[in-house]
Amino acid sequence: MPSIYTPQDPVRQYPNPPFPAQQQSAPGDIRKMDPAPDHGETSYIGSGRLAGRKAIVTGADSGIGRAVAIAYAREGADVALSYLAEEHEQAKEVAALVEAAGQRALLFPGDLQDETVDAALVAKTVESFGGVDILAIIAGTMPTVDSIDDFETETLDHVLKTNIYPLFWLTKAASPHLKPGAAIVTCSSIQGFQPSPALAEYAVSKAGIANWTRAMAQQLAERGIRVNGVAPGPVWTPLQPAFVPNEKIESFGSESAYGRPGQPVELAPPFVLLASQEASYISGETIAVTGGTPVH
Ligand code: NAD
Ligand code: MG
């Protein structure tokens, strides 16, 4: 297989549907996915673009967060890995990859729905690394609810507490430590712009993330802190078999212009760019990474 840096047809670069039927319970496990996702473990090569930086990555055990944590370390950053306690085994693999890249890793299991956990994540990172200057807020949950008749307040509370509140809590806790040149990168979704009918709770949170990104970019501009986001299309991560019914998994990604889902490693470069000083004039933007599907 050619390297990810070799020009080639992106449509055929990674597996296409149909995929084998598979279902998991949340939060899901990458080792149960068929085909195995690519998080850059053997494919991503860094070039020092984040040398000396100190990053927090949430959702860092699996999927997009795992790919971002690996890429940040290979670009020269120390990385604090936030994940749920039941994901510890996957997170340990990421920590080993961060350390193999010559960087420090901090393992931080905890439920970010609790403000004190968000504050502790920042405090522990500062204590371990001597500061923090990149926040990649990637953790998320995605329950599906087919009908408004099945709407439950607890579901919306859970989605907002997981997907929205940590933006405020982590940024507030990190604020005293963020110096000019620091960067915050959020994870919205194509769902925040073109919602699917069964994802109303999730989609409204993802629209909120893109909106928060615009507000916070203006608020923090005078302090020299940039705030941007990424809006992925369909990506081959455990979130999908954990929350989406099997028949949709078999054809997952076929709706994109490429006809395939993205691999987590394909999301890493925009997260690296937005965290790095190369993006000095980019703030308040959410970059769509969708395999050719327009996002408005
Ligand atoms: P993933 O399941 O690998 O990652 C989600 C992570 O969120 C989990 O690993 C878990 O560590 C973390 N998480 C969930 N609830 C948490 C909580 N209460 N406290 C702490 N951590 C918690 O799946 P992924 O697809 O890589 O998801 C990462 C982000 O990408 C999510 O925000 C998701 O909405 C977004 N996204 C995914 C897709 C896709 O198709 N996979 C598309 C668009 C956006
Ligand atoms: Mg996970």
Side-chain angles (χ1 to χ4, degrees):
M1 205 170 78
S3 123
I4 62 171
Y5 303 97
T6 305
Q8 58 197 286
D9 180 354
V11 174
R12 290 178 180 75
Q13 196 171 340
Y14 291 103
N16 282 63
F19 298 114
Q22 54 201 292
Q23 202 83 73
Q24 296 193 33
S25 52
D29 189 325
I30 56 170
R31 293 164 297 188
K32 294 183 188 150
M33 293 185 73
D34 178 16
D38 183 359
H39 313 90
E41 287 92 339
T42 59
S43 56
Y44 191 95
I45 302 169
S47 55
R49 295 161 84 196
L50 301 176
R53 307 290 295 268
K54 301 168 177 67
I56 290 173
V57 178
T58 72
D61 62 294
S62 60
I64 296 166
R66 182 182 179 105
V68 169
I70 292 168
Y72 279 7
R74 292 195 185 158
E75 298 290 353
D78 294 329
V79 190
L81 309 166
S82 156
Y83 53 95
L84 291 165
E86 58 263 48
E87 301 173 312
H88 190 61
E89 290 305 313
Q90 295 173 93
K92 279 200 299 193
E93 296 169 358
V94 182
L97 291 163
V98 169
E99 285 165 0
Q103 300 302 135
R104 289 180 288 186
L106 170 68
L107 285 162
F108 190 91
D111 187 340
L112 296 174
Q113 294 178 91
D114 177 345
E115 182 173 6
T116 63
V117 174
D118 293 60
L121 167 59
V122 172
K124 190 81 187 145
T125 302
V126 171
E127 185 190 314
S128 303
F129 297 165
V132 61
D133 59 8
I134 297 171
L135 288 182
I137 307 173
I138 299 173
T141 191
M142 188 185 72
T144 57
V145 182
D146 288 328
S147 165
I148 190 66
D149 298 328
D150 298 323
F151 170 78
E152 288 181 354
T153 301
E154 303 85 78
T155 309
L156 185 60
D157 281 344
H158 168 60
V159 169
L160 299 183
K161 277 277 158 66
T162 306
N163 296 1
I164 294 287
Y165 279 74
L167 300 173
F168 291 92
W169 289 334
L170 292 170
T171 303
K172 183 179 179 188
S175 176
H177 307 285
L178 298 177
K179 299 191 175 68
I184 299 170
V185 191
T186 63
C187 190
S188 177
S189 168
I190 191 169
Q191 289 292 331
F193 303 83
Q194 288 148 321
S196 298
L199 283 172
E201 292 83 350
Y202 175 78
V204 76
S205 80
K206 291 290 158 177
I209 292 171
N211 192 275
W212 181 90
T213 300
R214 290 178 165 191
M216 204 49 55
Q218 296 174 78
Q219 203 180 111
L220 295 178
E222 65 179 18
R223 291 177 50 192
I225 300 163
R226 295 176 304 99
V227 187
N228 290 289
V230 176
V235 186
W236 190 242
T237 74
L239 192 77
Q240 300 300 337
F243 289 105
V244 168
N246 236 329
E247 64 272 14
K248 291 190 181 155
I249 285 296
E250 289 172 40
S251 62
F252 184 65
S254 58
E255 74 280 12
S256 76
Y258 281 16
R260 69 161 177 90
Q263 290 294 321
V265 70
E266 297 183 280
L267 276 295
F271 277 93
V272 169
L273 170 68
L274 294 173
S276 83
Q277 196 60 29
E278 290 169 89
S280 53
Y281 205 56
I282 307 176
S283 197
E285 175 61 355
T286 293
I287 299 178
V289 183
T290 63
T293 308
V295 171
H296 302 291

